Amino acid sequence: MLARSKSVLADMIAENLGIRVLSCEYQILLELFENSSATSGELSSRCHVALATFQKSLGNLAARQLIGWERDDADGRRRTWRLSTDTHDILTQELRFPVMWEPCGRRADAEKGIFGSVTRLQDLLRTKVFSGEFQILLWLYDEECLTTGELLARSDTSPGAFYMALKRLADLRLIDDLPDHADRRRKLHRLTGKTRAALDEFYIGLREWANNLPPP
């Protein structure tokens, strides 16, 4: 049986947890990586965002020359989008990280963690990969337990957006808040059992998907 695509895995975890997983820009790149090409309508239907947000994301990617377009042979009014060669090469190499990623402190090298892998991919593409909420969940999956300050230091969003995301995760009961016995002024955060089980399944699916990528 073929491994589920990364886009399908992201949709499954989003439905299960009730939060957005991928940023719109990264969703577009991933769709083009997995399907070679797509029209604007096909990409828009997969991103599940407002049309204005989608169009802005598509324009940003084109302006950074991460994607390009050509006229559709079947309908000259439509554009067919593809990844640039450089973008395809970056994704081909970097999306293999689940094969060597050992979450929950089991890895020996911190650079092999989800944080290091995603940060490197974002730097190469100049594109945010995950939503702010899902990033927090992955950091906790990678480290098991972190303080508010440690999570904020890793965030690439504004403090206001970060605290809103943290509160929403707590309201959805996706994370637990715990007292820090070493410093009562601080608060610790960890995943609930339901969230960890969902991410365990996501991780297994990611690893299967990465193992089925074609050779670089």
Side-chain angles (χ1 to χ4, degrees):
M1 183 174 64
L2 293 176
R4 291 168 292 183
S5 75
K6 196 176 180 186
S7 295
V8 169
L9 289 169
D11 287 345
M12 290 174 60
I13 197 74
E15 183 177 354
N16 193 354
L17 298 180
I19 63 172
R20 183 173 179 82
V21 172
L22 303 177
S23 73
C24 184
E25 287 191 6
Y26 185 66
Q27 179 85 58
I28 291 170
L29 296 180
L30 194 57
E31 289 294 329
L32 294 177
F33 180 74
E34 293 181 339
N35 298 295
S36 299
S37 65
T39 65
S40 299
E42 290 167 339
L43 292 171
S44 177
S45 68
R46 293 288 296 125
C47 289
H48 309 299
V49 296
L51 182 58
T53 300
F54 167 76
Q55 291 175 335
K56 180 179 179 181
S57 298
L58 195 68
N60 288 341
L61 294 173
R64 297 201 300 273
Q65 298 184 335
L66 296 175
I67 61 175
W69 63 272
E70 55 192 30
R71 296 205 179 276
D72 192 313
D73 292 336
D75 185 344
R77 296 169 298 178
R78 292 192 306 183
R79 293 180 177 182
T80 300
W81 294 88
R82 299 180 187 275
L83 296 178
S84 71
T85 301
D86 288 345
T87 306
H88 188 276
D89 290 346
I90 289 170
L91 290 172
T92 298
Q93 183 63 39
E94 296 298 322
L95 289 179
R96 299 173 186 281
F97 78 84
V99 176
M100 56 183 152
W101 171 36
E102 290 295 342
C104 305
R106 295 194 295 271
R107 65 191 186 282
D109 183 354
E111 287 303 309
K112 293 182 180 179
I114 185 71
F115 179 55
S117 298
V118 171
T119 298
R120 184 171 59 252
L121 182 58
Q122 290 184 151
D123 288 344
L124 289 169
L125 296 176
R126 293 164 291 159
T127 299
K128 187 173 180 180
V129 171
F130 296 118
S131 71
E133 292 170 346
F134 194 65
Q135 276 191 325
I136 291 173
L137 296 186
L138 285 182
W139 291 329
L140 292 174
Y141 188 65
D142 211 29
E143 301 286 351
E144 290 199 63
C145 195
L146 291 168
T147 67
T148 306
E150 288 169 333
L151 289 170
L152 178 59
R154 297 183 177 198
S155 175
D156 55 5
T157 62
S158 69
F162 165 78
Y163 284 112
M164 285 181 61
L166 196 65
K167 182 179 184 304
R168 183 158 188 267
L169 293 174
D171 290 344
L172 290 171
R173 298 185 179 180
L174 299 179
I175 62 174
D176 285 327
D177 297 340
L178 307 168
D180 186 344
H181 298 298
D183 186 341
R184 294 186 177 181
R185 297 169 298 178
R186 297 190 306 186
K187 186 182 291 185
L188 293 168
H189 308 278
R190 71 179 178 189
L191 300 181
T192 62
K194 168 193 170 181
T195 310
R196 185 165 294 281
L199 289 177
D200 280 341
E201 182 179 355
F202 182 65
Y203 166 55
I204 291 170
L206 272 182
R207 197 162 197 166
E208 291 174 350
W209 179 81
N211 276 318
N212 279 276
L213 289 175

